Each structure stands twice: as structure tokens, then as C-alpha cells.
């Protein structure tokens, strides 16, 4: 069984224009501190991992759980409000929905989503762009701060005990590539932020991607 796993932000959903800013706004609103927007500087590049490091570095020793919950609640509210006000600004990465549907239709494939975002916002974005979340193995930073742990959980939930012969992860950040290497997953880069031997500007070349994954026969070139 081939497990195909996706990140959300920048991979399935175009959210780079607002997600980081709203996250920083939520932290600023609740904790009164600024966020370093160089995400790769954090030990765990996930909503939960970044927040836990901010709380440690700012020496919030008491009420840490309550503060973390407050930031998450504020961020979820901000994202929901943004999507409601500007629904057209939250778009699927071209080809994302078609690719996921093609993969879900294949009997030898399982599909998972492993996002560094919190679960409620991740599910909100997927539903907004029309991706069927009920048929996916899903895990997020609501489950764990470390990306590798999120990916392991997503794999378990997608496979439900079935044997895995190969796992491929689609992501758009250097942290995605590092986590894939640690887990010995094949990695496919989406977008231009990561240089990699297998990369696509978006997900619109459905047949080409499926051919590269070995899931459909290669087309003959006359």
C-alpha cells in the first residue's frame, strides 16, 4: 500500500498571504510579545511547537496551558473571520482537489494530511477549498508539537493497520523535507521555497505526478 501524505499550507491551500500574520496577531493579542517570523529558527515548526518555544523563551512559567489555549482560540477565530470576510482569498493550490480525489479512488493508495497548523484551522481550510476531510488520515499540531510525530500519527490514522510499502510526503517548506528524510519518506516539493530533485510549481499536472509516483502507467511519447 502506497501512503501519500500532504502538508496543508502552501501545499494544498494557498494561505501564505495571511496565515503567518494572523498567527503573530494572535500571539501579540494574548501574550503581548512579538513573533520571530523566521519560522525555520524554531525547534519545531508547527503552531504548537512555535508557541511552546515562545512561552518558554518569554518565561511564562505560570498559567502556560491557559495562555496557550487562549492563543489557539484567538488564532482559530481570526482565521475563521478572515475566510468569512474574504472567501475568495483562500484558494486551493491549483490541482490539489483533483489530485487528492484521484488518489482516494485508487485501491492501492491511502491518503493522509499532516499539518503543522492546529487541527481546527487546518480542517477549516480544507473544507473551504472542497477537500473531503472525512476520507483522509488527519493529524496536526493539536496532536503533537514535532512534525515527525504529527506525520507518524497521520500515517497510523490513514493506514488503520494496513501494511505500508512506500510513503511519499508533499510539502513546501525545508522543515517538511527534513522531517521526510528523518522518517525515510520520499519527498516531493511544492512551490519554489525548497530546492529538491522532485518538485512541482503546483499540483495541476495530475497525470505527470501520478506517473512519477508509479501509480499510473507512463504515457508513451510518439
Amino acid at each position: 500500500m502506497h501512503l501519500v501524505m500532504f502538508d496543508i499550507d502552501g501545499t494544498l491551500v494557498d494561505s501564505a498571504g495571511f496565515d503567518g500574520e494572523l498567527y503573530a496577531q494572535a500571539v501579540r493579542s494574548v501574550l503581548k510579545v512579538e513573533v520571530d517570523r523566521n519560522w525555520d529558527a524554531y525547534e519545531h515548526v508547527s503552531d504548537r511547537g512555535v508557541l511552546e518555544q515562545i512561552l518558554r523563551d518569554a518565561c511564562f512559567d505560570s498559567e502556560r496551558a491557559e495562555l496557550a489555549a487562549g492563543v489557539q482560540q484567538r488564532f482559530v477565530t481570526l482565521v475563521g473571520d478572515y475566510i468569512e470576510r474574504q472567501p475568495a482569498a483562500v484558494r486551493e493550490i491549483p490541482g490539489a482537489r483533483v489530485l487528492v480525489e484521484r488518489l482516494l479512488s485508487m485501491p492501492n493508495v491511502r491518503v493522509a494530511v499532516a499539518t503543522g497548523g492546529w487541527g481546527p484551522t487546518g480542517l477549516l481550510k480544507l473544507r473551504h477549498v472542497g477537500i473531503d476531510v472525512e476520507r483522509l488520515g488527519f493529524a496536526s499540531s493539536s496532536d503533537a508539537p514535532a512534525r515527525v510525530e504529527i506525520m507518524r500519527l497521520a500515517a497510523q490514522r490513514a493506514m488503520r493497520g494496513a501494511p505500508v510499502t512506500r510513503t511519499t510526503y508533499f510539502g513546501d517548506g525545508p522543515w517538511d523535507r527534513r522531517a521526510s528524510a528523518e522518517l525515510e519518506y520520499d519527498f516531493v516539493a511544492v512551490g519554489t521555497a525548497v530546492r529538491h530533485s522532485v518538485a512541482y510549481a503546483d499540483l495541476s499536472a495530475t497525470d505527470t505526478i501520478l506517473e512519477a509516483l508509479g501509480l499510473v502507467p507512463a504515457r508513451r511519447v510518439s
Side-chain angles (χ1 to χ4, degrees):
M1 192 76 71
H2 190 157
L3 173 61
V4 182
M5 189 179 299
F6 296 89
D7 182 30
I8 294 180
D9 298 305
T11 302
L12 293 175
V13 179
D14 182 359
S15 58
F18 70 91
D19 201 74
E21 177 54 40
L22 295 184
Y23 185 90
Q25 184 178 333
V27 171
R28 189 164 53 244
S29 173
V30 176
L31 303 181
K32 313 304 180 188
V33 299
E34 294 295 329
V35 174
D36 182 352
R37 299 284 292 277
N38 176 20
W39 306 114
D40 208 22
Y42 293 93
E43 179 183 2
H44 298 303
V45 187
S46 69
D47 285 358
R48 178 173 168 182
V50 169
L51 180 57
E52 288 183 356
Q53 187 169 335
I54 290 170
L55 289 167
R56 289 196 307 270
D57 292 348
C59 299
F60 286 103
D61 297 323
S62 62
E63 300 180 342
R64 186 175 293 182
E66 292 83 353
L67 290 170
V71 172
Q72 180 179 354
Q73 183 177 6
R74 179 62 179 151
F75 180 60
V76 171
T77 299
L78 288 171
V79 172
D81 289 347
Y82 183 90
I83 292 175
E84 185 175 349
R85 291 195 317 270
Q86 303 188 60
V90 185
R91 303 176 298 272
E92 68 167 318
I93 296 295
R97 183 171 47 186
V98 170
L99 178 60
V100 169
E101 287 296 326
R102 287 282 299 277
L103 291 167
L104 286 169
S105 72
M106 296 178 172
N108 59 331
V109 175
R110 294 281 173 82
V111 183
V113 168
T115 175
W118 278 305
T121 51
L123 293 172
L124 184 64
K125 293 169 189 173
L126 290 176
R127 291 187 176 111
H128 182 75
V129 300
I131 291 176
D132 185 358
V133 299
E134 303 303 327
R135 298 164 65 196
L136 307 172
F138 181 85
S140 70
S141 71
S142 296
D143 298 301
R147 193 166 291 263
V148 291
E149 294 303 323
I150 296 168
M151 292 162 72
R152 286 193 183 105
L153 282 169
Q156 292 171 10
R157 292 168 181 174
M159 298 309 299
R160 301 186 297 276
V164 182
T165 57
R166 178 183 175 188
T167 302
T168 303
Y169 187 83
F170 286 73
D172 69 303
W175 42 84
D176 296 315
R177 183 173 58 182
R178 288 196 298 268
S180 296
E182 184 173 341
L183 293 170
E184 298 184 341
Y185 292 175
D186 295 335
F187 178 69
V188 177
V190 180
T192 59
V194 181
R195 290 187 177 182
H196 189 65
S197 57
V198 183
Y200 300 94
D202 55 37
L203 301 174
S204 59
T206 311
D207 288 331
T208 300
I209 293 170
L210 294 175
E211 287 173 15
L213 295 176
L215 295 172
V216 298
R219 290 166 291 183
R220 292 183 179 181
V221 178
S222 59

